[in-house]
Each structure stands twice: as C-alpha cells, then as structure tokens.
Amino acid sequence: MEPHHVERRQRGMAVLIASLVLIIGALGYIGFRLLGGGSSLDYEGQGNGVVQLIEVPEGSSMGELAPELAERNVVKTPEAFSSAANSNPRAGQIKPGFYRLQEEMSAKSAVEALLDDANMVDLLDVQGGATLLDVNVVGGDVRYGIYSLISQVSCTEGGCVSAEDLEKIAATVDPAELGAPEWALDAVRARGEDPKRLEGLIAPGQYVLDPNMDAQEILTDLITRSTKKYNDTNIVERAQAIGLTPYELLSSASLVERESPAGEFDKVARVILNRLDEPMRLEMDSTVNYGLEDVELATTDDDRHRETPWNTYAKDGLPDTPIASPSNEAIEAMENPAEGNWLFFVTVDSEGTTVFTDNYDEHLANVDDAVRSGILDSQREGEGAGAAPDDAPAEEQ
C-alpha cells in the first residue's frame, strides 16, 4: 500500500474519532445539565413568587406546553421541561383547565405543579339572577353575591382580593374607566357612591381571573367583557324597537330573570311592557326584596310601602338600576316578547304552573288558587301582578 493512502486513511479515522468525541461530549453535557448537574438549561426550586396563568387546552399533552412555559419564563428552556415530563410517569394524566404556576420553576417542579389539582384555577361562575352583594335569606342562609364570589376565586399565596375592596372600587371609580357601556354611564353615576350601582353590568358566564390583577383590574376586565356581550346582542337597536333605552332594557331583563318561572320569560317580558304602556306600576316583589337587608319569598305590607330606588310598588316605572345580572335568555325575551294583552300573572302550584290574564278579577281568582295550593301566604292576597307568586320560583334559585 502506498504511503499516501495510509496517511489519508489515518487522517480520516482521526477526524471521525474527533467528531464522535465532540458529539458524545455535547450529548453528555446536555444530559448533565438536564439531569441537574448544572443550571444553564433549568431553574432551581419552586419559583420566584410571580404567578403566571397557564391554560391546558382540552386534548393537549405536557410536551405541547413546553414552548409557552419557556416563553412565559415558568421554566428556563423547553428542553428541560420536555425532559422532566418524559421522566414523570404521570405526565399523561394532566387535566384541561387553567393553572397558577410561578416564574422560574425547575422543570420538575413545573410538571408536578401541573399534576396538582390544587393549582387549578376556580372559575368565577356568575349565574343569571346573581346580585353584586350577598343576600341574607330569612332562616340563616346566605346567597353569595358576585363580589364575594370574586374574592373566593382570586386567592393566591399572597392572599385574596377582598369583597370590601371590590365594593369600594365599584362605588368610587368612574364607570367609564371600568369599561361600562356608554348607554349606562349616566344612570350609574346618578347612584352616587353606591357599591350596587354596577348591578347588572357583569353578565352571567364563567370567567377566568388573572391572579395578578387587583380589584380595579378585575372589575374592569369583567365589565369590559360584559359590555361586549351585551352590545353583541344588538341591545341598542333592540331597545329602541320596543320603546326603551338599552339600560331600561337591561333593568327589565333583570326583572324577567328574578320574576319568571322556567319557560315563561317572554310572557313576563310582555307583562312588563304592557304595564309600562298603560301606565301601571309594575308592583313586583323582587324589586321590594332588592332593597331589604333580609329577604324571604313573602314581602310585608310595610315592605311594599317602603320607598327605595327599586321598589316598584312605591314608585312608577322601572327600578333605578337592574336588580340582578340578566341572562342572555332574559335579554332576548325582552327584545322578543310574546304577543299578548296580559297585565297579571301568578304561579299557582309547586310545579311552577303560571297563569297570565289581563282581567283583574280573574287574577284574584288565580291568586286564590295559589293560596289554596300553599304557594302563597296570606300577605300576598290581592296584590296584583306584584303579589309575588310570580316571583317565587326565581327567589328559590
């Protein structure tokens, strides 16, 4: 064999060996870092206290989260997180939802945090008919209001946003700054510093709250999103079509929500519009209860004579504000009321059967039926459309 062939072969072997050494060294270095032998590819510890809200979409895997976690600085590198996920036999058990993770977590800690249900975010669930403030029900029960519900789901290691802070913001910060719709601003401002002045402006729905937000940021987020929801129903034009302002439509829809048994929203909406057109006082017990500290299904004669901004026995027209958060169904019922001449309605049995009429004597007979069935107590006899049998199903929500 010629010498130059031997030299070429030796040089080729040397290059190959050198390359293999470099590759093996690089792989070893990466493995060393990922397995905890260094810190350049991974953080150490449980995080730095700054919370990030991470969504795990339905059907996604741990590995798919790696780029976002690195981008949000929850973990230092996607590779570190992927390696930690591959090393955890429970990684496939991750549940969809929102999780509170901290920045600068070790990849192993981040994986474990995503597998811990305690880190899942509780959704703020606003039901149709919810009120801003807690309602004390006679008998000792409390129906928690939206401010309290926000406080309950806003908690982090640093504490919770208090209901009192939310009430203060609601009462003192200009509603425009909080994202309220333009058509509600004058009515809200007219209520002065009443923490209930934003009633109805947080639409029913499920919300994820950013744990880094303070009280004002939370209310601004919720009200801004709700304004969009309401405007998306074409509420301005729909209200004009039935002779109401958008805010009056929202207030009317809140009465529908609190007064109506299931399946009768559009009929109760028609009663409200017919009474406003007469004009007749609405006389609805739900508006009486809204101004009371303690409520029950029955309202007394004294309650009904008490002058408040909401009591439609003691004032003409609609309450000064909505009395609850109306659902989209209630809003649509006001926008598309049933056809009819009804002025009165009453629920006559425990199954929720509700009868409507435009004749007062017929209504009194229907009220008698309700009394005999046990739906009404004696304080509600002969009180017209506001005699609260119509209100009972909603108050039991």
Side-chain angles (χ1 to χ4, degrees), residues 247-277:
Y247 193 70
E248 288 172 338
L249 192 154
L250 195 69
S251 296
S252 301
S254 75
L255 299 183
V256 170
E257 189 74 52
R258 295 301 305 154
E259 290 279 341
S260 301
E264 306 285 10
F265 276 17
D266 59 341
K267 289 185 177 180
V268 173
R270 175 52 66 188
V271 171
I272 291 171
L273 291 172
N274 287 347
R275 282 194 160 229
L276 291 174
D277 286 343

Side-chain angles (χ1 to χ4, degrees), residues 52-67:
Q52 290 284 351
L53 198 64
I54 302 299
E55 180 181 7
V56 178
E58 188 80 37
S60 64
S61 65
M62 272 285 190
E64 292 173 293
L65 300 176

Side-chain angles (χ1 to χ4, degrees), residues 191-342:
R191 294 296 310 142
E193 294 192 349
D194 181 356
K196 297 197 291 187
R197 67 182 187 163
L198 298 179
E199 193 72 85
L201 297 185
I202 297 178
Q206 290 188 321
Y207 301 88
V208 176
L209 300 185
D210 187 330
N212 299 308
M213 287 183 175
D214 60 23
Q216 182 166 338
E217 290 169 332
I218 288 174
L219 286 180
T220 302
D221 179 49
L222 294 174
I223 293 172
T224 299
R225 284 197 267 175
S226 298
T227 295
K228 183 178 186 308
K229 281 186 181 181
Y230 287 145
N231 285 338
D232 284 348
T233 71
N234 204 23
I235 192 171
V236 175
E237 289 77 11
R238 291 284 192 176
Q240 185 177 13
I242 57 175
L244 300 177
T245 69
Y247 193 70
E248 288 172 338
L249 192 154
L250 195 69
S251 296
S252 301
S254 75
L255 299 183
V256 170
E257 189 74 52
R258 295 301 305 154
E259 290 279 341
S260 301
E264 306 285 10
F265 276 17
D266 59 341
K267 289 185 177 180
V268 173
R270 175 52 66 188
V271 171
I272 291 171
L273 291 172
N274 287 347
R275 282 194 160 229
L276 291 174
D277 286 343
E278 276 292 316
M280 293 174 65
R281 285 188 172 178
L282 294 178
E283 295 186 345
M284 293 184 169
D285 280 343
S286 56
T287 66
V288 177
N289 273 326
Y290 187 76
L292 302 179
E293 291 185 5
D294 299 291
V295 305
E296 59 180 340
L297 296 184
T299 58
T300 67
D301 289 338
D302 287 342
D303 292 336
R304 291 191 286 268
H305 285 96
R306 186 178 309 191
E307 293 186 7
T308 76
W310 307 280
N311 181 5
T312 56
Y313 280 95
K315 73 186 296 292
D316 295 334
L318 291 161
D320 286 1
T321 73
I323 62 169
S325 291
S327 64
N328 193 53
E329 291 76 15
I331 293 174
E332 289 179 346
M334 283 305 307
E335 293 171 345
N336 302 281
E339 291 297 324
N341 298 319
W342 312 296

Side-chain angles (χ1 to χ4, degrees), residues 95-235:
K95 299 177 182 177
F98 288 83
Y99 292 78
R100 290 188 175 99
L101 273 63
Q102 296 185 34
E103 292 182 358
E104 298 186 4
M105 302 181 76
S106 72
K108 181 180 178 182
S109 295
V111 171
E112 291 172 349
L114 288 166
L115 294 172
D116 186 350
D117 289 350
N119 294 314
M120 290 189 74
V121 174
D122 292 326
L123 296 176
L124 172 65
D125 190 4
V126 179
Q127 299 284 331
T131 54
L132 290 173
L133 300 185
D134 297 347
V135 174
N136 298 313
V137 181
V138 172
D141 294 332
V142 176
R143 189 169 65 230
Y144 288 109
I146 296 173
Y147 293 143
S148 290
L149 296 177
I150 291 172
S151 180
Q152 292 168 15
V153 302
S154 68
C155 300
T156 65
E157 292 181 358
C160 309
V161 173
S162 70
E164 292 75 18
D165 284 347
L166 291 162
E167 290 180 28
K168 182 178 179 180
I169 294 299
T172 59
V173 176
D174 188 76
E177 192 174 340
L178 296 175
E182 184 176 350
W183 42 261
L185 296 179
D186 289 344
V188 173
R189 289 168 181 154
R191 294 296 310 142
E193 294 192 349
D194 181 356
K196 297 197 291 187
R197 67 182 187 163
L198 298 179
E199 193 72 85
L201 297 185
I202 297 178
Q206 290 188 321
Y207 301 88
V208 176
L209 300 185
D210 187 330
N212 299 308
M213 287 183 175
D214 60 23
Q216 182 166 338
E217 290 169 332
I218 288 174
L219 286 180
T220 302
D221 179 49
L222 294 174
I223 293 172
T224 299
R225 284 197 267 175
S226 298
T227 295
K228 183 178 186 308
K229 281 186 181 181
Y230 287 145
N231 285 338
D232 284 348
T233 71
N234 204 23
I235 192 171

